[in-house]
Amino acid sequence: MRTYTLSCFMCGQENSEDLTNTYCTACGGVLTVRYHGSSPAIQYPLETVATDELRTQPTELRKLHNLSRRYGIEIWGKLEYQNPSGCFKDRGSFIEVQKALELNRDAICLASTGNMAASVAMYACYYNIPCYVFVPENTAEGKLAQASIYNATVLRIKGDFSACEQLCKAFARSGNYYLAGDYVFREEGQKSVSYEILHQQEHDFDAVLVPVGCGTNFGAIHKGYHEALQAGLTKKIPALICVQPETSSPVVEGIFKREKVIKPSVTTMATAVAAADPIDFHKVQKGIEETDGRAFTVTESDILESLQEMAVSEGIFTEPACALPLAALKKEQRWFTGKRCLLMLTGTGLKDTGVVARNVLPSPVLPNDVAQVIDFIESGYPQLQRESFGKPRDTVLTQIRFSSDKQERFEDYLNRIGKKGKTLTPRETEAIQTLVFNDDSDLNFPLKVTDYTILMRKNGLVAASVLADMGGTELETSHEGVGPLDAVLGAMDKLTAVVFPVSLVDHALEVLSPGTNALVVASITLEHNGNQAQGKAASPDVIEAGLHAWIKAFAVLHKRYAQ
Ligand SMILES: *Cc1c(COP(=O)(O)O)cnc(C)c1O
Ligand SMILES: [Zn+2]
């Protein structure tokens, strides 16, 4: 005898578990588990409830002291990123995998943008059931790595999450497979967080702030509180606050319109909540209505700012989705004043470090030399790195102070490039700053190129002539090659053959931006008597970049090995 019914959240119809664990067979609405009686112990829709051997401890409920002081609001965090896969989804994945085993399915399959794939793969692997994950082609590498290490069959699909979802549903019907996802049994697992909070808290919370994508977690938190209330474990349910990114907010929009909104597509840096068709919209709506909750949006720059603030103030590095609650609390400070607030911190920042990398000035590779390291620290660059997080780069880059010789080189670079009528993109400016930091300040340039010409020959070859000066001696040579750069570099080899012979080992070109006037960074490796050195230089002109890089590599070898 089952102690529960799978009933439709929309039409109330009872559904058979043998036929569906996703949508109502009568109306297509989402399902919910109704238990036949209330119980002080949490109830699960399983015949036998095994202990979760992977998640053996509750996640921490921590007062966030620095944020509380700063905003004059009592702020707590529920550190859900402490779950074993780094995300709250483990609570639901455990129950889904148990259910798949109970139903004797041959495998479990799901579509995911990353965290759910990692989490279900982990449990499926541990409990010995094959797992197929359908992910969009551009899924964060850290999340893919997790699914792979847990032996899931990773199916990267051309297209977005919706494409994966459709495909996975069809795949599920092709065999005796359990279709996992934001469905009714996941909700049953994820509701455990509310019981855990009630057990850990000393005083009731007034508001719980939740980052919302599909709305499943929000619905689960509400259901957990609701069942605990019925069982007499608490006297009140906190106001539940739904937070979404402005650019991905079908749920918030739907709350105000009082009907479900589906977007053609959504984009936000908080990829974990980028859901265009929020499956559990109606559960969120009910949760807000019944708890006198609210729905807020925040901007992308609010998200970045709160992401950094949480790390700097509380030592907590989460993924962007988890910055939504703090961002909302700051934006709607007046509404939250006087209330005990809990922020749901749903996932770790370590899976998607690209977000940080894209919003911080890169750390240049420094020479292995303490004087130059100190020089770098005093340049103000590290401080600027901290201050500029998430800010538009062009304004930031102009504030860097180099030591005087490096500043001269930097300006020299800018002048030369400016003469070619080019304005630099932020990425290009950074590349040049990195070059300047890396240049050896004591390097002399024994060889100076005074002129060069390039001629196209009839046979398709290119001829380059180079005129140079080395310690007062004038050198001149020419060389034919298959392209202009090839010809010039060949001429350079010949040019120095008598005075200090070097040979070209390797060269590489990196084009830093699209378009015809892009900055090119050339790297040239030269060899002299078995010793190698690399030179790097940048210019919008490929030949000049190559020539300067060659001259730098030459200067390094000459300094070290010429008597
Ligand atoms: C899945 C996820 C969410 C959103 O949960 P929904 O149930 O889709 O609303 C929020 N944060 C993180 C880190 C997630 O992985
Ligand atoms: Zn129905």
Side-chain angles (χ1 to χ4, degrees):
M1 256 310 277
R2 289 203 172 115
T3 57
Y4 62 90
T5 311
L6 277 194
S7 59
C8 175
F9 194 78
M10 305 306 290
C11 75
Q13 160 100 9
E14 277 192 25
N15 278 256
S16 158
E17 189 169 316
D18 304 321
L19 296 180
T20 180
N21 66 296
T22 52
Y23 299 100
C24 171
T25 48
C27 80
V30 294
L31 304 176
T32 190
V33 170
R34 297 213 193 286
Y35 294 97
H36 299 154
S38 64
S39 150
I42 187 167
Q43 301 189 75
Y44 290 115
L46 294 168
E47 274 168 19
T48 44
V49 182
T51 0
D52 186 339
E53 290 171 8
L54 297 182
R55 209 172 54 80
T56 55
Q57 287 184 339
T59 61
E60 221 175 311
L61 182 72
R62 185 197 294 171
K63 174 144 188 219
L64 305 177
H65 292 284
N66 290 324
L67 292 175
S68 297
R69 262 193 296 275
R70 184 168 312 141
Y71 297 108
I73 297 173
E74 195 177 329
I75 304 172
W76 292 68
K78 179 64 173 159
L79 313 193
E80 284 289 276
Y81 59 84
Q82 291 176 346
N83 282 297
S85 82
C87 176
F88 75 89
K89 292 204 166 62
D90 291 349
R91 296 176 185 275
S93 304
F94 173 66
I95 299 297
E96 285 205 294
V97 168
Q98 294 301 311
K99 184 51 93 178
L101 293 170
E102 184 183 297
L103 296 171
N104 278 314
R105 298 299 169 88
D106 296 332
I108 190 162
C109 62
L110 76 155
S112 161
T113 59
N115 280 335
M116 201 190 287
S119 175
V120 173
M122 181 183 77
Y123 277 100
C125 177
Y126 186 81
Y127 288 101
N128 282 313
I129 178 168
C131 177
Y132 298 89
V133 303
F134 290 74
V135 293
E137 49 192 328
N138 62 351
T139 303
E141 217 164 290
K143 299 175 184 179
L144 267 188
Q146 284 183 293
S148 303
I149 198 80
Y150 294 127
N151 277 340
T153 301
V154 177
L155 304 155
R156 286 177 73 202
I157 305 302
K158 216 169 182 50
D160 62 2
F161 173 68
S162 305
C164 293
E165 234 184 342
Q166 293 310 316
L167 200 60
C168 184
K169 275 183 198 163
F171 175 77
R173 286 190 293 269
S174 75
N176 179 30
Y177 302 142
Y178 181 91
L179 176 63
D182 277 317
Y183 305 121
V184 63
F185 293 125
R186 169 161 297 275
E187 177 178 53
E188 289 307 295
Q190 287 173 187
K191 74 183 181 186
S192 67
V193 72
S194 307
Y195 285 79
E196 210 172 278
I197 294 165
L198 285 170
H199 191 71
Q200 291 170 311
Q201 75 183 15
E202 279 177 40
H203 305 286
D204 289 342
F205 286 105
D206 300 305
V208 177
L209 293 86
V210 187
V212 167
C214 289
T216 310
N217 193 35
F218 189 101
I221 293 169
H222 181 227
K223 190 168 194 280
Y225 271 115
H226 188 77
E227 287 178 1
L229 185 80
Q230 287 185 325
L233 299 176
T234 181
K235 290 198 173 55
K236 73 169 207 185
I237 303 181
L240 296 180
I241 316 298
C242 155
V243 193
Q244 290 203 298
E246 210 169 83
T247 53
S248 176
S249 53
V251 175
V252 179
E253 206 179 299
I255 294 294
F256 289 103
K257 286 196 174 139
R258 302 186 157 273
E259 64 183 19
K260 185 175 168 183
V261 170
I262 299 174
K263 297 274 175 190
S265 70
V266 289
T267 47
T268 167
M269 77 177 79
T271 52
V273 294
D277 179 356
I279 296 180
D280 279 327
F281 168 76
H282 292 103
K283 292 183 179 173
V284 178
Q285 191 180 33
K286 187 170 175 213
I288 290 178
E289 274 168 20
E290 288 192 356
T291 66
D292 194 20
R294 291 289 184 278
F296 297 126
T297 60
V298 296
T299 66
E300 296 293 289
S301 63
D302 293 341
I303 295 174
L304 268 183
E305 194 184 287
S306 291
L307 185 71
Q308 189 192 33
E309 186 170 352
M310 183 64 81
V312 170
S313 306
E314 301 294 344
I316 292 174
F317 176 33
T318 66
E319 65 169 271
C322 324
L324 293 171
L326 177 59
L329 183 135
K330 286 169 61 173
K331 201 172 154 194
E332 308 290 337
Q333 210 168 322
R334 283 194 35 209
W335 195 86
F336 289 103
T337 301
K339 297 187 171 79
R340 283 183 93 236
C341 298
L342 177 61
L343 314 181
M344 297 303 279
L345 304 177
T346 45
T348 173
L350 293 176
K351 296 192 198 195
D352 189 6
T353 52
V355 170
V356 178
R358 281 190 291 279
N359 286 287
V360 77
L361 297 173
S363 295
V365 180
L366 301 174
N368 182 359
D369 177 290
V370 74
Q372 297 203 47
V373 167
I374 292 170
D375 189 23
F376 169 73
I377 293 169
E378 288 174 354
S379 73
Y381 190 90
Q383 191 190 344
L384 207 63
Q385 273 184 315
R386 289 187 285 275
E387 288 168 1
S388 66
F389 182 78
K391 299 206 176 79
R393 295 203 183 171
D394 358 16
T395 48
V396 160
L397 290 164
T398 52
Q399 300 171 25
I400 298 177
R401 297 177 306 278
F402 289 102
S403 63
S404 60
D405 61 322
K406 296 226 156 167
Q407 185 61 28
E408 225 167 81
R409 273 187 214 196
F410 183 57
E411 276 162 19
D412 191 44
Y413 248 119
L414 297 185
N415 284 338
R416 266 192 286 127
I417 291 165
K419 275 194 201 121
K420 297 196 183 295
K422 173 171 172 56
T423 21
L424 291 168
T425 66
R427 180 148 180 255
E428 290 171 338
T429 311
E430 280 164 30
I432 292 177
Q433 285 169 329
T434 305
L435 279 178
V436 172
F437 278 124
N438 278 317
D439 283 351
D440 175 353
S441 336
D442 304 329
L443 199 60
N444 294 311
F445 294 91
L447 182 83
K448 292 184 174 60
V449 171
T450 41
D451 198 13
Y452 69 92
T453 52
I454 288 171
L455 282 171
M456 305 299 283
R457 292 272 192 239
K458 283 208 179 76
N459 55 9
L461 290 179
V462 178
S465 334
V466 180
L467 191 65
D469 176 277
M470 182 134 170
T473 314
E474 198 168 89
L475 305 166
E476 187 176 7
T477 188
S478 55
H479 182 80
E480 283 193 353
V482 291
L485 184 62
D486 184 50
V488 167
L489 294 180
M492 295 305 287
D493 266 21
K494 272 193 197 165
L495 192 77
T496 54
V498 254
V499 274
F500 184 77
V502 293
S503 57
L504 179 68
V505 179
D506 194 18
H507 75 279
L509 298 174
E510 191 191 355
V511 183
L512 290 184
S513 55
T516 45
N517 211 9
L519 191 73
V520 177
V521 176
S523 314
I524 300 275
T525 308
L526 296 179
E527 184 179 291
H528 170 80
N529 285 347
N531 303 297
Q532 295 191 353
Q534 196 193 48
K536 272 192 173 201
S539 168
D541 181 317
V542 178
I543 309 295
E544 293 213 347
L547 256 179
H548 282 128
W550 195 97
I551 289 168
K552 273 189 200 169
F554 179 83
V556 173
L557 284 173
H558 190 267
K559 180 179 165 186
R560 287 194 201 142
Y561 305 109
Q563 292 82 23

